Amino acid sequence: MPDSTSDSTSDSMPHSTSDSTSDRLRVRKTYKLYIAGAFPRSESGRSYPVRSATGELLAHAAQASRKDLRDAVLAARKAFASWSSTTAYNRGQVLYRVAEMLDGRRDQFVGEVSDAEGVSTKAAATQVDHAIDRWVYYAGWADKYAQVAGGTNPVAGPYFNFSLPEPTGVVGVLAPQDSSLLGLVSVLAPVVTTGNTAVVVTSEDRPLPAASLAEVLATSDLPGGVVNLLTGVTAELSPWLAGHRDVNAIDLTGVPNADRKALQIAAADNVKRVYAPGPVDWSADPGTSRLSAFVETKTVWHPIGV
Amino acid sequence: MEHAALHDITRDDSSLRRFLHGLPGVDQVGAEGRAAGLATRSIKTTAKAWAIDMAIRMVDLTTLEGADTPGKVRSLCAKAARPDPSDATVPAVAAVCVYPDLVETAVHALRGTPVGVASVATAFPSGRASLETKLHDVRDAVGAGATEIDMVIDRGAFLAGRYLQVFDEIVATKAACGDAHLKVILETGELATLDNVRRASWLALLAGGDFIKTSTGKVTPAATPPVALVMLEAVRDFAAATIGYGATATIGPGAAATIGPGRDLAGEIRGVKLAGGIRTSKEAVRYLVMVNEVAGDAWLDPRRFRFGASSLLNDLLLQRHKLATGNYDGPDYVTVD
């Protein structure tokens, strides 16, 4: 098969060629999508060149089409029933496992982040460490968030009245464009922590750390379909995600302000929850705002004393 | 069946066997290849919209569960008459298919609509009962107002080679149906080979079945593309074989050359119903392509081709909405059953 990445000159790869002294031919990696726990190429057969911050060709990434997005939403919907009913403690354990796996491949991610964002190895390492810590942070929240966001309510009547947060459903995430790993983890982890399933469109120009994160997720006990990662052109995919009637919420973090209004209008068709934050400092303490963005509060009036 | 040539075939067990075993064998690899080739046709935009509406009109909306209740049948009937309450341009389905005891409920619920009421009968799904019991079952359903009867053949008798017994049962059932249309379920998943599918198809057509139907839906595999191909060939060839029958008429697939897609049809046109396992619009549209290419466009008609299905209708509605609005739809907007 004629490989679309064949025009990349392997010697120019800054970090990916660790064994440059050997005569061995480099095994080039094909970056693919992550849908329903599998790694398919795009249904459209398309790929697009990904360049480093300095303009060198790093690889070709799969360019997802609207049909890939449709498949991803189907997978996320299918995975929702079991993931949302998994106990919060168990979800936390699975997310912690993701952090373990990520930590095990720290060096690879440092190289990829450094290439993608044009930062020094040291700065990239700091970002990767932050990303790992952020998984741990959200993993810890999994079985504690309901205590904070829910509780009993005092009511003037013979009722035991309590509220609890429940996951919204399938959440479409347009990941940040600048921060290829830390930003992605910061928007993805809170979505799945509370029991949602996610369809993520990764950073358009810096998709490779996300494609590698998919391999981490696939080896972390996270059921297939809970997270689906699509690399491709954000502006091409976002209208389909916003208009999809089986998506319950959408995170517009990775969309420039000018493009947000049209997506919000499209999202209104099925009354999606829309989360459109301002600029974010990814290294700052994330708080719980992203956890509470994608939950529905259920309040129960339970008769007592009758 | 008034044709003299066909009379000769069904005169006794040995002549029937000679005819059925004289049918050309089916090239299984070829049939699978042809079916797979037809499945690659790309049907888009206006053609897709036409195909989806046609497929909706061809659906026999089916519920054949032990847990069926009158309430469930009534809601199914409402859906059959008006598949999408928010969109009056969606056509009604062809029929509702229920067990005999629920025919009366369905007839009552569908009064004043163009939707037919089909009922399975003859000891569905196994067909293991005495002929008298089976006929009683049929008369019950017809008496309650069923306009279409889906009978099962006795697969045990067929596989044991007692073709005349199967033939006689179909003839007797047809007589008990009166004005109701008879669909003969071959249960192809139990017939083992495509040769047997071809023989059973011809047997059912010779005996007077208005439709030949793949499956009960209770056996896997149910409707598959190669099986559909063979059955569509059978109805096409049967129509050709019954053109201007007489002393020179050739009975059998050899006569197929006399008709083809788009030609005028003079012979007896029988229908095909695919049932079981068809859940997506994509599969349904592929089958419509096959109907057009194998049998001919005369069969692109709910009177001659049906889908027995329950969840297929929901997917057709979702795809129809996608085409109409441009947005992907979700299962929150169609009924659960």
Side-chain angles (χ1 to χ4, degrees):
Chain A
M1 185 189 146
D3 191 337
S4 56
T5 63
S6 56
D7 55 337
S8 65
T9 41
S10 52
D11 349 23
S12 72
M13 295 278 167
H15 282 94
S16 322
T17 42
S18 50
D19 54 349
S20 52
T21 52
S22 126
D23 289 339
R24 247 183 99 241
L25 279 178
R26 203 167 68 85
V27 178
R28 272 197 299 262
K29 180 163 149 188
T30 307
Y31 290 90
K32 295 195 253 189
L33 309 175
Y34 181 53
I35 299 173
F39 292 91
R41 289 181 170 82
S42 169
E43 155 281 335
S44 62
R46 300 177 304 176
S47 62
Y48 68 109
V50 176
R51 297 183 187 282
S52 70
T54 53
E56 288 165 291
L57 183 70
L58 293 173
H60 282 74
Q63 187 182 343
S65 69
R66 65 180 170 86
K67 292 192 179 177
D68 295 313
L69 186 139
R70 173 200 63 188
D71 294 346
V73 173
L74 274 180
R77 174 58 63 199
K78 202 173 164 201
F80 178 71
S82 68
W83 180 245
S84 59
S85 60
T86 302
T87 62
Y89 171 76
N90 200 345
R91 277 204 302 272
Q93 294 292 303
V94 171
L95 294 178
Y96 187 76
R97 176 93 178 144
V98 174
E100 290 175 6
M101 294 292 112
L102 196 58
D103 196 45
R105 297 168 70 159
R106 187 172 170 279
D107 293 346
Q108 179 196 347
F109 279 99
V110 169
E112 286 183 338
V113 169
S114 167
D115 288 349
E117 301 184 14
V119 295
S120 69
T121 306
K122 188 157 174 265
T126 308
Q127 286 212 44
V128 174
D129 289 346
H130 266 118
I132 297 166
D133 292 349
R134 194 134 302 170
W135 274 114
V136 176
Y137 172 80
Y138 282 115
W141 268 116
D143 59 355
K144 300 171 189 70
Y145 179 68
Q147 286 97 305
V148 175
T152 56
N153 311 312
V155 289
Y159 297 98
F160 174 46
N161 183 293
F162 59 98
S163 298
L164 69 163
E166 294 197 332
T168 300
V170 174
V171 178
V173 178
L174 299 161
Q177 300 294 338
D178 50 352
S179 183
S180 58
L181 181 68
L182 177 57
L184 173 68
V185 167
S186 301
V187 297
L188 172 60
V191 167
V192 293
T193 298
T194 49
N196 298 293
T197 55
V199 175
V200 183
V201 179
T202 66
S203 167
E204 182 174 333
D205 295 332
R206 303 169 176 178
L208 302 189
S212 296
L213 180 68
E215 294 159 16
V216 168
L217 298 173
T219 51
S220 314
D221 300 334
L222 195 72
V226 170
V227 174
N228 303 275
L229 290 166
L230 304 174
T231 54
V233 180
T234 305
E236 178 196 348
L237 296 171
S238 55
W240 293 102
L241 191 58
H244 199 306
R245 297 221 291 173
D246 203 24
V247 174
N248 303 104
I250 189 166
D251 177 353
L252 300 180
T253 304
V255 179
N257 283 336
D259 300 342
R260 286 186 176 182
K261 189 177 177 188
L263 296 178
Q264 284 173 315
I265 291 171
D269 180 50
N270 74 330
V271 208
K272 275 186 196 63
R273 213 166 256 294
V274 177
Y275 186 67
V280 191
D281 173 11
W282 298 114
S283 57
D285 178 354
T288 55
S289 60
R290 284 188 169 268
L291 287 168
S292 48
F294 303 109
V295 291
E296 308 296 326
T297 301
K298 179 162 86 179
T299 296
V300 179
W301 296 67
H302 192 286
I304 50 172
V306 272
Chain B
M1 185 56 55
E2 66 279 22
H3 302 158
L6 299 181
H7 254 312
D8 283 348
I9 292 172
T10 57
R11 193 182 51 232
D12 56 39
D13 212 353
S14 62
S15 60
L16 185 57
R17 171 189 306 274
R18 206 176 310 122
F19 171 76
L20 292 178
H21 285 263
L23 290 169
V26 180
D27 169 5
Q28 181 164 349
V29 175
E32 283 165 4
R34 172 84 171 134
L38 289 172
T40 62
R41 301 284 175 89
S42 183
I43 306 293
K44 301 289 181 198
T45 61
T46 50
K48 188 175 180 185
W50 183 90
I52 286 174
D53 276 6
M54 177 58 74
I56 292 175
R57 290 172 53 209
M58 287 171 165
V59 165
D60 278 4
L61 199 57
T62 304
T63 181
L64 296 171
E65 305 291 335
D68 286 348
T69 58
K72 185 180 176 192
V73 169
R74 274 193 293 271
S75 65
L76 198 75
C77 290
K79 184 174 185 182
R82 191 80 190 273
D84 183 352
S86 65
D87 184 354
T89 63
V90 179
V93 306
V96 163
C97 185
V98 294
Y99 273 119
D101 61 323
L102 288 164
V103 167
E104 204 173 341
T105 310
V107 168
H108 188 75
L110 289 169
R111 192 161 293 152
T113 72
V115 181
V117 176
S119 174
V120 295
T122 70
F124 181 92
S126 64
R128 308 226 79 120
S130 71
L131 180 58
E132 203 38 56
T133 310
K134 291 179 183 177
L135 295 180
H136 192 79
D137 206 8
V138 173
R139 283 190 283 264
D140 257 3
V142 174
T147 53
E148 302 171 11
I149 295 294
D150 290 26
M151 71 168 289
V152 289
I153 64 166
D154 184 340
R155 278 89 72 191
F158 179 87
L159 291 170
R162 301 196 302 274
Y163 298 131
L164 199 62
Q165 180 190 337
V166 179
F167 179 87
D168 287 341
E169 285 194 7
I170 300 173
V171 171
T173 309
K174 174 74 181 161
C177 280
D179 290 335
H181 274 242
L182 177 64
K183 305 190 197 113
V184 184
I185 301 172
L186 310 179
E187 194 63 295
T188 53
E190 293 182 344
L191 295 184
T193 67
L194 290 177
D195 287 339
N196 275 343
V197 172
R198 177 170 279 174
R199 286 179 195 132
S201 300
W202 274 87
L203 183 62
L205 294 169
L206 288 168
D210 297 301
F211 265 79
I212 47 177
K213 173 175 167 184
T214 55
S215 329
T216 57
K218 308 288 183 196
V219 169
T220 314
T224 63
V227 161
L229 184 84
V230 170
M231 289 171 63
L232 286 163
E233 285 175 351
V235 292
R236 173 197 69 190
D237 294 342
F238 187 81
T242 48
I243 287 176
Y245 78 92
T248 58
T250 334
I251 307 296
T258 54
I259 61 159
R263 305 252 188 110
D264 285 341
L265 294 163
E268 285 190 29
I269 301 197
R270 306 289 179 78
V272 173
K273 174 172 169 182
L274 307 182
I278 304 169
R279 294 198 176 81
T280 65
S281 304
K282 188 174 274 185
E283 290 169 272
V285 170
R286 282 175 183 168
Y287 280 120
L288 290 184
V289 169
M290 187 186 285
V291 170
N292 188 59
E293 297 298 314
V294 175
D297 53 8
W299 273 269
L300 286 175
D301 184 324
R303 289 171 303 171
R304 290 163 188 169
F305 188 76
R306 295 277 181 87
F307 294 108
S310 38
S311 55
L312 171 64
L313 182 58
N314 277 348
D315 195 60
L316 289 166
L317 294 175
L318 295 182
Q319 296 306 321
R320 197 179 190 281
H321 183 268
K322 159 74 179 66
L323 273 180
T325 65
N327 283 336
Y328 285 117
D329 210 343
D332 288 352
Y333 301 91
V334 289
T335 58
V336 175
D337 281 323

